Amino acid sequence: MSKGPVVILTALNLEYQAVRQRLTGPQVHRHERGTRFEVGTVRGTSCRVALGLTSKGNHSAAVIAERAIQEFSPVAVLFVGVAGALWDTTRLGDVVMASHVYAYHGGTSEDDGLKARPRVWEAPHGISQLASHLARLNDWADPAPGHEEGPQVRFGAIAAGEIVQNSRISAEAKWIRQHYNDALAIEMEAAGVAQAGHLNGAPVAIVRGISDRADGTKNSADDRDWQPRAAANAAAFGTRLAVELVEEQGEDQEEPATPRGDRVRSTDRFGRHVSNTAHNSTVGIMAGAVMGSSVHMNAAPRTSGPRDLCAELNGFREQLGWHRAEGALDEDTYREALTDLDSALRSAGGNTPESSKRTVMTLRRLRGLVAECPALVAALAPVVAAAGDLA
């Protein structure tokens, strides 16, 4: 199974151009519904990137992110661009890597005021660890002009809402500081991208360059100076992170495959348990590196056909049962997963292009359902690939 690219999304054309300048040979890739991506290679590397423009807002960002995930089956999705700083400790030009994302507009309006009801998405552990390592190396940034100190990478929460925040004294600004006082930056797309990644089992990283202080200075001369510099810094760190993610995946796929046999429990490089269940079939599955809710896999050669696919689907049924017994799945999720699995088995036996497409769609829905269990995502990855080979 070939490796997918890293998807990098931006909201503004300025951010898009900052990433595109770091790619060689970009070629237009048009989605069947009209969305245009450019697929190129990070300069001086073999890392493939699919670059897309979402426009402003969490809603459009979520739609384009999900479309990109379905189209490219990426190693990861990175959202790269600029943001406003909520506190003065973060310098203009610094890069903020989200440890978690708040969708801060969730709330309930009551007689005594607006009560926060946020949704929160944490960054995948593997990507966070890799980003921290790159920040310590501190060799990712372009040379700073003159004698300026280079940008730093800061890790913390990012608040994502539906409006442009350009005040430190407005009622909403005070409310955000009261309820989300650990957030370093504020913007308008991260929540949508994080939700799309969560539902589709794709790891997401949010990388933002600080272009202003969300204090009324947007569109000022300083902002016009800092915005391209902040976008360039975010693009520099984002593309370096993409390169390292692809190189790590390549290292994982060079490991020897685990032979089929009795159930094997092993640990991945992050110390988590990964399990395989024995089946007498031609398929061998090896667990690779866990990155948040996504696990990168190797599969031994197999012959494609409805009978092989049905065998893999039945094997995954055993995985579901084992993880329910281990407490990794709650009962409701387990039953929903069985319903999707039965649907996939029925369509897999149809042996027509239409039934194969239905199988792929059902398995993708199933992948989103079990996204919180990395070992199940790992076990399902070659099954989705096998179904795709038949579609």
Side-chain angles (χ1 to χ4, degrees), residues 122-147:
E122 288 194 14
H125 176 69
I127 292 182
S128 294
Q129 290 284 295
L130 178 57
S132 295
H133 174 70
L134 294 179
R136 287 191 295 271
L137 292 178
N138 198 29
D139 61 355
W140 56 270
D142 295 330
H147 298 287

Side-chain angles (χ1 to χ4, degrees), residues 268-330:
D268 56 39
R269 68 169 61 195
F270 299 106
R272 305 190 207 184
H273 288 292
V274 180
S275 63
N276 282 325
T277 303
H279 303 290
N280 293 322
S281 70
T282 60
V283 183
I285 302 176
M286 182 196 75
V290 178
M291 292 184 178
S293 60
S294 180
V295 180
H296 303 294
M297 301 291 301
N298 276 348
R302 61 169 160 259
T303 57
S304 296
R307 186 169 297 176
D308 295 323
L309 180 57
C310 289
E312 293 196 45
L313 289 169
N314 283 318
F316 186 73
R317 182 188 299 276
E318 294 187 27
Q319 292 272 358
L320 284 172
W322 186 79
H323 281 86
R324 181 188 63 163
E326 289 283 303
L329 282 182
D330 60 59

Side-chain angles (χ1 to χ4, degrees), residues 26-340:
Q27 298 292 320
V28 173
H29 178 101
R30 184 178 178 275
H31 186 271
E32 62 180 356
R33 296 298 182 186
T35 305
R36 288 178 179 265
F37 300 91
E38 286 190 279
V39 180
T41 304
V42 177
R43 199 175 302 279
T45 76
S46 60
C47 172
R48 292 173 57 243
V49 166
L51 177 62
L53 186 69
T54 68
S55 296
K56 294 180 182 179
N58 289 294
H59 299 300
S60 61
V63 171
I64 300 303
E66 181 162 51
R67 187 164 287 181
I69 293 167
Q70 297 295 332
E71 188 77 358
F72 296 107
S73 297
V75 173
V77 178
L78 310 185
F79 203 91
V80 175
V82 300
L86 288 174
W87 307 97
D88 292 337
T89 51
T90 305
R91 304 176 310 168
L92 296 178
D94 280 354
V95 171
V96 174
M97 171 89 179
S99 59
H100 50 290
V101 174
Y102 292 127
Y104 70 81
H105 267 127
T108 177
S109 180
E110 299 181 3
D111 290 343
D112 57 346
L114 181 63
K115 307 296 180 61
R117 288 187 177 178
R119 297 196 67 184
V120 184
W121 296 268
E122 288 194 14
H125 176 69
I127 292 182
S128 294
Q129 290 284 295
L130 178 57
S132 295
H133 174 70
L134 294 179
R136 287 191 295 271
L137 292 178
N138 198 29
D139 61 355
W140 56 270
D142 295 330
H147 298 287
E148 290 184 18
E149 185 180 352
Q152 297 179 1
V153 182
R154 301 180 181 274
F155 297 86
I158 287 180
E162 302 301 331
I163 62 173
V164 176
Q165 184 63 31
N166 192 28
S167 173
R168 288 279 181 96
I169 62 174
S170 67
E172 184 172 57
K174 294 177 180 177
W175 186 83
I176 291 171
R177 285 170 173 269
Q178 178 184 0
H179 293 281
Y180 304 96
N181 54 52
D182 63 331
L184 298 182
I186 189 166
E187 44 95 298
M188 299 174 61
E189 292 81 30
V193 179
Q195 174 72 346
H198 169 73
L199 293 178
N200 290 277
V204 169
I206 308 297
V207 179
R208 293 290 193 173
I210 299 301
S211 61
D212 63 86
R213 299 198 179 281
D215 60 356
T217 59
K218 288 184 186 294
N219 302 317
S220 67
D222 281 347
D223 183 53
R224 287 191 293 272
D225 179 48
W226 276 108
Q227 193 176 62
R229 294 165 67 178
N233 291 342
F237 188 75
T239 52
R240 175 65 182 277
L241 181 60
V243 169
E244 297 295 331
L245 285 169
V246 169
E247 289 184 357
E248 275 203 350
Q249 189 199 42
E251 292 171 1
D252 296 332
Q253 291 188 340
E254 289 171 1
E255 297 175 8
T258 302
R260 307 288 286 196
D262 294 336
R263 178 181 293 150
V264 177
R265 296 196 70 187
S266 57
T267 56
D268 56 39
R269 68 169 61 195
F270 299 106
R272 305 190 207 184
H273 288 292
V274 180
S275 63
N276 282 325
T277 303
H279 303 290
N280 293 322
S281 70
T282 60
V283 183
I285 302 176
M286 182 196 75
V290 178
M291 292 184 178
S293 60
S294 180
V295 180
H296 303 294
M297 301 291 301
N298 276 348
R302 61 169 160 259
T303 57
S304 296
R307 186 169 297 176
D308 295 323
L309 180 57
C310 289
E312 293 196 45
L313 289 169
N314 283 318
F316 186 73
R317 182 188 299 276
E318 294 187 27
Q319 292 272 358
L320 284 172
W322 186 79
H323 281 86
R324 181 188 63 163
E326 289 283 303
L329 282 182
D330 60 59
E331 188 65 24
D332 288 341
T333 301
Y334 173 69
R335 293 191 179 279
E336 287 185 48
L338 285 182
T339 299
D340 282 349

